[in-house]
Amino acid sequence: MGKLHLMAKPASEGARRVAQWVMTLPGGVAQAAEALEISEEWVQRIVDGDLIPGLRIGVALTKLMGVTAAMFQRPARSGWFDRVPEALAA
């Protein structure tokens, strides 16, 4: 796989933040998949909004980057590459 394929707008705030995290990793999707112990296809499905992380993946996302389950239920606050103001980070 290698690269993320981004839709026109993020499916949720959680998906947007996962995509931003993946883009900061030197190994990209492969490194994210390894860190979460899932396949690269699952990483893509999380970013697409087709897959909502369960307990095991959710705990890993919270530990690695602070993304909570509630973020996958909220619409994205901004576009893929926009930074979130510190006051809105949680």
Side-chain angles (χ1 to χ4, degrees):
M1 173 174 254
K3 295 183 181 179
L4 280 179
H5 301 279
L6 303 177
M7 301 182 304
K9 70 178 219 176
S12 68
E13 182 63 18
R16 186 182 78 78
R17 291 185 187 211
V18 170
Q20 284 188 337
W21 172 66
V22 171
M23 290 184 270
T24 66
L25 299 174
V29 178
Q31 187 175 348
E34 184 177 329
L36 296 171
E37 298 179 358
I38 58 176
S39 70
E40 292 181 28
E41 289 80 19
W42 277 35
V43 173
Q44 181 66 53
R45 289 184 63 201
I46 290 170
V47 171
D48 289 345
D50 294 338
L51 181 67
I52 304 296
L55 182 62
R56 184 179 62 81
I57 299 169
V59 168
L61 287 173
T62 301
K63 285 181 181 178
L64 290 169
M65 52 185 284
V67 171
T68 64
M71 291 178 180
F72 288 94
Q73 305 302 320
R74 295 193 309 237
R77 292 182 171 156
S78 58
W80 289 112
F81 303 105
D82 297 332
R83 298 192 82 152
V84 176
E86 292 299 320
L88 300 175

